[in-house]
């Protein structure tokens, strides 16, 4: 076995083996949407069949046991699930990587549907304890808030701050069959014993104890917004809490390594960025940038320029959305109160940044205003994306089209100056959870044909192209899907008392409910289908079961009304005897990771229908493709690359391209113009407006209609004709199961690119500066640390 024995301080590599064997990767994220852990652990440790067998011998059923586990729902949707997939891939590729986040006492709420409306319930996921975590109270760290800054001759001092303790809880992250276990470290907030001592001194002991909640509320609950910024003080506290605790931990670990030379601290920190790579999952942990500067300048006494170079070389920033309502812009006034020293540091960064722009573009005041970290206006705000771009050495989008948009449009001023800083890293999913775990029958069938190598190297799925015309394989792929459909149907029947036509097309649209994802467009088309059956009940109809699922942010009025519309339409459709088993509409309650694992393997059609230019990547789309569903979708996010990999004719692509959307915006979108050209749409709108789906309450959905006609940012009517025509093509193909299944096989065979192993290898090579090859070399001489 080869051992790394000689590292250089000036390069990232060992002079003998060419590997940077100290480099540690830190993935900072406010969300880790892990789901369940038991089955995933058994699979990654290669123990699944042994455990199944042992349970069976005891007369127990392992599936029943697995169903008892609560999801760790510490995320909202794609961004949080990406962090979880990345942990699996980083461990599998043998990277020394740590996830850092918050141990929320309450994860994403549980969604109940009552009278067709969404109702939220608290997610008490820790009620029965969590066997996967280990508290590490011995590594407790202090985090400071409030107070003020004193400038002395030895530099700035942040004084009179309040302290909150951060207690780490570690969860093991096993790699897939590689004898590697990484760590996810989540912080829990704890009040120090002298918290609010002033009450105590005044004799109000009870009040002092009650006030401990104020501090401990920091890790109480996940903010349930997806793609939406809510500028609440408690959320800013959460963001600083995870950053401050994690950076102390990272620096402690660096200092205790062989590079943490204590004799010359400046030289020591010079190698910091070569040994530490920190990835920011969106701007949520952006405070890590001013926090590292504060530590280096105020505490370690480095000069600004050296601290700035280290900081910039340490951080990399992933952008996840360009929707303006999702971009974090914190009021300066809040920072003044909560994080006064960080505000000063951000001003200093901005001053130097704008000075640099001024030398490149003298007199261009507009450009300075556009690029400033501080937005002027009635209320001054800090633009966190600008802070991340300036403070990082790499900025990436999450799919080709999204990365193009941020480079050439949203952040063009920044890429003009530092073009090579901007990169693309197309998202991926872990094939362990999203194939081996959730769809064992398909995984086994694939292994029978091409061997098991694809589980670590998903591109090997290409070998399946040789079987596209193999009748036997076609029949087997078809029957695996059929069995998965039957299993889902019986689960739905048992849990919800819904009866499903097994030979109908399983058409699935599951993701967070958001206007840009256009669940409304799907719903309008359901009504079109309903009307067609009612009009000609004896005409042949390709039967469908439309499954829609997803949570709406509790404060998102329009999304909640869309859920009510879907459930109201479902009620009418499902109870109409003329419709029979030709069409069923199911709103699946409480969409979450463990439910996705059950539904996706049974899906035949995957709806990925966001307005072009709005979905940064999407990862749901990839899960469906890998599990043998065909996609009806727009040229948006990773759909574009799915079409590139499988061939555009093997997806049902429809609607405007990004360019078309831009042109329509230029001449101003007029919904009525499109509406007038689609007769079937009149009927649908007329029915909604007249209370057909809300008897006695004709105004119930008025706000949806007003939006569609007068302020629909996502242009549902503009894509509707194309959507209907493409749905017709879907129906045509579905009537030929052999041709349908051939297209399914082509899609599965082309889905290898969307493994998060590929994504992580690219981050490692292009951003963190470590070759994937080197990652596989074990380093037995490495010191064990915490
Ligand atoms: C994959 C996943 C998502 C992301 O889905 P998109 O369709 O990309 O928005 C959201 N929620 C859960 C539970 C997921 O598993």
């Amino acid at each position: 076995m080869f051992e790394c024995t000689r590292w250089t301080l000036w390069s990232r590599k060992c002079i003998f083996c060419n590997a940077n064997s100290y480099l540690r990767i830190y993935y900072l994220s406010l969300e880790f949407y892990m789901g369940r852990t038991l089955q995933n652990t058994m699979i990654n440790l290669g123990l699944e069949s042994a455990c199944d067998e042992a349970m069976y011998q005891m007369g127990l059923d392992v599936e029943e046991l697995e169903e008892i586990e609560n999801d760790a729902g510490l995320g909202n949707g794609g961004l949080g699930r990406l962090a979880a997939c990345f942990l699996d891939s980083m461990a599998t590729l043998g990277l020394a990587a740590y996830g850092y986040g918050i141990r929320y006492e309450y994860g994403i709420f549980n969604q109940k549907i009552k009278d067709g409306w969404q109702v939220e319930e608290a997610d008490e996921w820790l009620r029965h304890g969590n066997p996967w975590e280990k508290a590490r109270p011995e590594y407790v760290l202090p985090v400071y808030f409030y107070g003020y800054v004193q400038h002395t001759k030895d530099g700035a001092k942040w004084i009179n701050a309040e302290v909150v303790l951060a207690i780490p809880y570690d969860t093991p992250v096993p790699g897939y069959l590689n004898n590697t276990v990484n760590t996810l470290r989540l912080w829990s907030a704890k009040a120090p014993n002298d918290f609010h001592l002033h009450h105590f001194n005044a004799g109000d002991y009870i009040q002092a104890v009650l006030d401990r909640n104020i501090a401990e509320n920091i890790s109480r609950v996940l903010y349930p917004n997806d793609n939406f910024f809510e500028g609440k003080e408690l959320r800013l506290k959460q963001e600083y809490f995870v950053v401050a605790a994690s950076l102390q931990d990272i620096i402690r670990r660096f200092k205790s390594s062989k590079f943490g030379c204590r004799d010359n601290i400046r030289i020591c920190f010079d190698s910091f960025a070569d040994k530490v790579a920190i990835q920011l999952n969106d701007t949520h942990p952006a405070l890590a940038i001013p926090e590292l500067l504060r530590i280096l300048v105020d505490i370690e006494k480095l000069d600004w320029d050296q601290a700035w170079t280290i900081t910039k070389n340490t951080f990399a920033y992933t952008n996840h959305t360009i929707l303006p309502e999702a971009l974090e812009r914190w009021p300066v006034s809040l920072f003044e109160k909560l994080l006064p020293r960080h505000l000063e540091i951000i001003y200093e960064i901005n001053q130097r940044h704008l000075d640099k722009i001024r030398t490149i573009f003298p007199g261009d005041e507009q450009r300075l205003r556009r690029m400033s970290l501080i937005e002027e206006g009635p209320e001054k705000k800090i633009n966190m994306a600008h802070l991340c771009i300036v403070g990082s050495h790499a900025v990436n989008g999450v799919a080709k089209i999204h990365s193009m948009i941020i480079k050439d449009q949203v952040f063009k001023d920044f890429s003009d100056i530092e073009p090579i800083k901007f990169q693309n890293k197309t998202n991926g999913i872990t094939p362990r959870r999203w194939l081996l775990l959730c769809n064992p029958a398909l995984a086994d069938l694939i292994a029978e044909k091409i061997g098991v190598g694809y589980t670590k190297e998903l591109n090997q799925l290409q070998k399946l192209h040789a079987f596209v015309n193999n009748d036997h394989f076609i029949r087997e792929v078809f029957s695996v899907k059929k069995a998965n459909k039957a299993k889902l149907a019986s689960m739905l029947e048992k849990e919800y008392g819904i009866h499903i036509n097994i030979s109908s097309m399983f058409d699935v649209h599951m993701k967070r409910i958001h206007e840009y994802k256009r669940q409304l467009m799907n719903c309008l088309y359901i009504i079109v289908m309903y009307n067609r059956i009612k009009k000609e009940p004896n005409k042949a109809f390709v039967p469908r079961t439309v499954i829609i699922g997803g949570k709406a942010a509790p404060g998102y009025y329009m999304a909640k009304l869309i859920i009510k519309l879907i459930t109201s339409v479902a009620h009418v459709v499902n109870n109409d005897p003329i419709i029979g088993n030709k069409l069923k509409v199911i709103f699946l309650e409480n969409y979450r990771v463990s439910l996705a694992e059950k539904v996706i393997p049974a899906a035949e059609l995957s709806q990925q229908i966001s307005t072009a230019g709005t979905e940064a990547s999407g990862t749901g789309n990839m899960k469906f493709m890998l599990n043998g569903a065909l996609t009806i979708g727009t040229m948006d996010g990773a759909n574009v690359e799915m079409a590139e990999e499988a061939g555009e004719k093997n997806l049902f692509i429809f609607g405007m391209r990004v360019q078309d959307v831009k042109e329509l915006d230029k001449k101003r979108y007029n919904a009525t113009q499109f509406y007038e050209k689609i007769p079937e749409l009149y009927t649908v709108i007329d029915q909604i407006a007249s209370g057909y789906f809300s008897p006695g309450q004709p105004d119930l959905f008025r706000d949806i209609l007003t939006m569609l006609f007068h302020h629909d940012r996502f242009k549902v009517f503009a894509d509707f004709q194309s959507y209907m025509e493409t749905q017709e093509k879907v129906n045509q193909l579905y009537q030929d199961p052999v041709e349908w299944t051939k297209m399914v096989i082509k899609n599965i065979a082309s889905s290898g690119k969307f493994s998060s192993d590929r994504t992580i290898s690219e981050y490692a090579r292009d951003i963190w500066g470590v070759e994937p090859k080197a990652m596989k070399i074990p380093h037995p001489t490495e010191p064990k640390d915490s």
Side-chain angles (χ1 to χ4, degrees):
M1 185 88 55
F2 205 76
E3 289 183 14
C4 271
T5 50
R6 286 285 303 279
W7 295 269
T8 61
L9 276 174
W10 54 89
S11 89
R12 286 166 184 248
K13 290 175 172 139
C14 162
I15 58 170
F16 293 149
C17 78
N18 216 27
N20 182 353
S21 52
Y22 181 78
L23 182 70
R24 267 129 213 267
I25 313 300
Y26 296 103
Y27 199 80
L28 261 59
S29 179
L30 270 283
E31 304 187 16
F32 286 92
Y33 203 169
M34 303 295 285
R36 290 173 176 159
T37 295
L38 176 59
Q39 194 187 356
N40 186 249
T41 303
M42 294 190 297
I43 288 174
N44 281 17
L45 267 39
L47 295 172
E48 199 185 22
S49 37
C51 292
D52 282 7
E53 181 60 26
M55 291 280 291
Y56 181 81
Q57 296 281 327
M58 293 190 286
L60 298 170
D61 178 7
V62 76
E63 254 188 70
E64 215 176 294
L65 179 68
E66 286 160 3
E67 283 299 313
I68 294 170
E69 187 179 355
N70 284 324
D71 281 36
L74 309 186
N76 276 287
L79 175 149
R81 184 54 232 175
L82 185 77
C85 284
F86 280 5
L87 291 182
D88 183 84
S89 286
M90 290 188 296
T92 296
L93 291 169
L95 281 167
Y98 299 75
Y100 273 106
I102 296 176
R103 179 179 177 271
Y104 300 107
E105 193 177 332
Y106 297 89
I108 188 67
F109 62 85
N110 280 312
Q111 178 194 54
K112 290 275 157 65
I113 301 296
K114 291 193 173 144
D115 189 29
W117 296 94
Q118 166 175 299
V119 176
E120 300 90 21
E121 274 182 7
D123 165 45
E124 242 194 87
W125 73 292
L126 295 169
R127 177 160 12 165
H128 306 291
N130 173 8
W132 304 107
E133 70 181 11
K134 172 79 183 80
R136 308 299 300 274
E138 67 275 29
Y139 291 115
V140 61
L141 290 168
V143 175
Y144 296 91
F145 296 98
Y146 305 108
Y148 53 93
V149 184
Q150 211 171 47
H151 288 274
T152 68
K153 61 177 186 320
D154 332 309
K157 280 205 169 71
W158 182 11
I159 58 173
N160 272 31
E162 270 189 23
V163 66
V164 175
L165 302 180
I167 314 280
Y169 285 72
D170 289 352
T171 300
V173 179
Y176 180 57
L177 305 181
N178 68 346
N179 283 307
T180 299
V181 181
N182 284 347
T183 300
L184 168 61
R185 178 161 280 188
L186 300 177
W187 301 100
S188 181
K190 186 109 187 86
N193 285 337
D194 59 356
F195 192 72
H196 280 192
L197 197 68
H198 53 279
H199 284 310
F200 191 73
N201 290 340
D204 199 348
Y205 161 73
I206 297 296
Q207 193 57 49
V209 175
L210 295 181
D211 277 6
R212 296 172 65 79
N213 273 318
I214 299 171
E216 294 172 4
N217 278 342
I218 291 174
S219 57
R220 195 76 68 204
V221 57
L222 167 75
Y223 274 87
N225 302 313
D226 185 68
N227 279 292
F228 184 76
F229 170 59
E230 189 182 343
K232 289 283 198 292
E233 178 172 335
L234 181 60
R235 167 69 179 198
L236 184 59
K237 280 187 178 173
Q238 292 183 337
E239 294 185 354
Y240 181 62
F241 178 72
V242 60
V243 155
S246 305
L247 272 180
Q248 289 179 73
D249 216 34
I250 291 166
I251 291 168
R252 174 190 56 73
R253 193 176 290 117
F254 171 78
K255 283 185 171 177
S256 70
S257 76
K258 59 170 81 57
F259 303 100
C261 44
R262 272 149 291 265
D263 43 336
N264 188 338
I265 206 76
R266 275 153 221 273
I267 290 172
C268 162
F269 273 104
D270 261 341
S271 73
F272 186 81
D274 290 341
K275 305 301 167 193
V276 173
I278 305 179
Q279 192 69 35
L280 304 174
N281 197 20
D282 211 309
T283 59
H284 311 154
L287 280 164
I289 292 167
E291 175 70 357
L292 181 58
L293 279 165
R294 187 185 71 80
I295 294 168
L296 295 179
V297 172
D298 293 356
I299 300 171
E300 303 291 350
K301 307 293 178 192
L302 269 60
D303 62 53
W304 179 279
D305 289 323
Q306 191 190 359
W308 178 247
T309 304
I310 293 167
T311 300
K312 210 169 142 157
N313 289 337
T314 298
F315 290 107
Y317 156 58
T318 304
N319 173 279
H320 284 270
T321 180
I322 58 160
L323 292 181
E325 64 270 35
L327 301 180
E328 290 194 297
R329 294 151 64 247
W330 288 103
V332 162
S333 56
L334 193 50
F335 265 67
E336 254 160 14
K337 184 172 77 152
L338 196 68
L339 301 164
R341 179 57 184 148
H342 295 79
L343 181 61
E344 290 185 348
I345 289 169
I346 290 167
Y347 274 129
E348 181 71 30
I349 297 170
N350 198 35
Q351 182 114 61
R352 289 161 184 260
H353 159 61
L354 294 180
D355 284 348
K356 197 179 109 189
I357 311 302
R358 246 180 235 111
T359 64
I360 309 174
F361 300 98
D364 193 344
E365 290 302 312
Q366 285 302 315
R367 185 181 296 264
L368 287 175
R369 192 186 44 72
R370 293 198 304 268
M371 296 183 73
S372 178
L373 308 193
I374 308 293
E375 293 180 1
E376 302 292 338
E379 191 176 29
K380 273 201 208 179
K381 288 179 172 160
I382 307 171
N383 185 314
M384 303 305 273
H386 291 184
L387 171 62
C388 285
I389 295 169
V390 172
S392 300
H393 69 278
V395 174
N396 75 283
V398 290
K400 270 188 201 166
I401 190 174
H402 166 67
S403 297
M404 291 250 292
I405 291 170
I406 63 176
K407 190 175 160 115
D408 302 341
Q409 300 173 39
V410 185
F411 301 131
K412 182 170 187 307
D413 289 326
F414 294 90
S415 73
D416 279 349
I417 297 173
E418 301 181 288
I420 58 166
K421 187 187 267 195
F422 287 79
Q423 302 190 24
N424 172 247
K425 295 288 166 280
T426 300
N427 281 167
I429 54 170
T430 170
R432 272 72 66 182
R433 182 175 296 262
W434 297 112
L435 184 60
L436 304 192
L437 181 153
C438 71
N439 201 343
L442 183 59
D444 288 347
L445 178 56
I446 294 170
E448 249 176 61
K449 284 285 175 281
I450 64 171
V452 293
Y454 77 93
T455 58
K456 278 201 171 197
E457 223 181 287
L458 203 63
N459 271 323
Q460 290 189 28
L461 288 175
Q462 291 286 355
K463 295 180 194 165
L464 290 175
H465 280 300
F467 300 94
V468 169
N469 295 308
N470 179 319
D471 290 336
H472 181 67
F473 188 61
I474 293 169
R475 262 197 305 280
E476 288 183 311
V477 169
F478 182 88
S479 41
V480 165
K481 183 61 77 178
K482 193 156 187 187
N484 290 341
K485 286 170 69 181
K487 187 168 179 193
L488 177 66
S490 76
M491 188 278 279
L492 294 177
E493 194 140 13
K494 199 171 115 209
E495 302 280 318
Y496 303 95
I498 313 170
H499 186 73
I500 290 176
N501 175 5
I502 305 277
S503 25
S504 65
M505 181 200 308
F506 281 23
D507 165 346
V508 182
H509 195 183
M510 289 190 313
K511 47 184 74 248
R512 287 300 290 255
I513 309 293
H514 205 297
E515 287 164 90
Y516 87 81
K517 293 175 183 277
R518 296 201 293 194
Q519 282 91 359
L520 255 180
M521 191 159 75
N522 186 0
C523 187
L524 298 181
Y525 183 70
I526 292 170
I527 304 173
V528 168
M529 289 191 283
Y530 170 78
N531 290 336
R532 285 178 186 170
I533 300 170
K534 293 283 274 188
K535 197 167 166 199
E536 297 178 278
N538 297 317
K539 196 178 163 194
F541 185 87
V542 180
R544 283 204 194 203
T545 299
V546 185
I547 297 172
I548 303 177
K551 291 171 184 175
Y556 189 171
Y557 165 74
M558 192 60 72
K560 289 179 132 176
L561 194 56
I562 290 169
I563 291 177
K564 175 62 178 172
L565 176 63
I566 295 165
T567 55
S568 302
V569 170
H571 184 77
V572 170
V573 171
N574 297 348
N575 292 293
D576 190 325
I578 294 178
I579 300 301
N581 63 6
K582 288 182 178 150
L583 182 61
K584 280 279 171 286
V585 182
I586 294 166
F587 188 90
L588 252 195
E589 199 171 82
N590 207 23
Y591 180 55
R592 61 198 188 281
V593 173
S594 60
L595 190 57
E597 290 162 6
K598 295 185 173 92
V599 179
I600 292 170
E604 297 178 283
L605 185 66
S606 156
Q607 301 233 25
Q608 307 296 338
I609 59 179
S610 52
T611 314
T614 64
E615 186 76 274
S617 164
T619 49
N621 47 5
M622 303 167 185
K623 299 167 197 167
F624 286 98
M625 185 188 198
L626 180 59
N627 282 277
L630 298 184
T631 301
I632 182 166
T634 48
M635 278 301 214
D636 198 19
N639 294 356
V640 177
E641 288 157 80
M642 284 161 52
E644 194 174 294
E645 293 296 303
E648 197 168 326
K649 63 177 194 307
N650 294 310
L651 280 78
F652 297 99
I653 296 293
F654 72 95
M656 295 178 287
R657 310 304 203 247
V658 168
Q659 190 56 33
D660 303 320
V661 175
K662 270 173 89 176
E663 279 160 26
L664 187 52
D665 272 328
K666 231 187 285 170
K667 54 182 197 204
R668 299 205 58 168
Y669 168 58
N670 180 339
T672 309
Q673 270 175 13
F674 290 93
Y675 169 76
E676 283 170 345
K677 292 192 192 114
I678 314 174
E680 283 186 292
L681 191 54
Y682 304 169
T683 322
V684 170
I685 297 298
D686 198 59
Q687 287 166 309
I688 298 173
S690 68
Y692 190 96
F693 301 105
S694 51
Q697 297 178 83
D699 283 347
L700 188 60
F701 301 118
R702 193 185 53 198
D703 292 337
I704 288 181
L705 298 181
T706 308
M707 182 272 288
L708 284 171
F709 281 96
H710 302 292
H711 44 92
D712 180 6
R713 296 168 56 207
F714 304 106
K715 306 178 179 64
V716 169
F717 291 173
D719 273 343
F720 200 70
Q721 182 66 38
S722 173
Y723 182 55
M724 288 202 301
E725 287 164 9
T726 307
Q727 288 283 19
E728 212 41 61
K729 291 183 190 160
V730 172
N731 286 335
Q732 287 303 320
L733 189 67
Y734 195 73
Q735 287 169 278
D736 188 340
V738 172
E739 287 307 310
W740 178 279
T741 307
K742 284 184 187 175
M743 200 185 275
V744 165
I745 297 169
K746 288 181 203 169
N747 269 267
I748 297 171
S750 310
S751 65
K753 173 175 180 181
F754 304 104
S755 168
S756 46
D757 298 344
R758 187 270 313 150
T759 312
I760 287 299
S761 301
E762 292 178 7
Y763 275 91
R765 189 189 60 208
D766 305 334
I767 297 181
W768 305 330
V770 51
E771 281 294 322
K773 211 171 35 163
M775 297 187 291
K776 291 186 183 142
I777 302 169
H779 302 292
T781 56
E782 283 255 11
K784 279 267 179 287
D785 68 9
S786 56

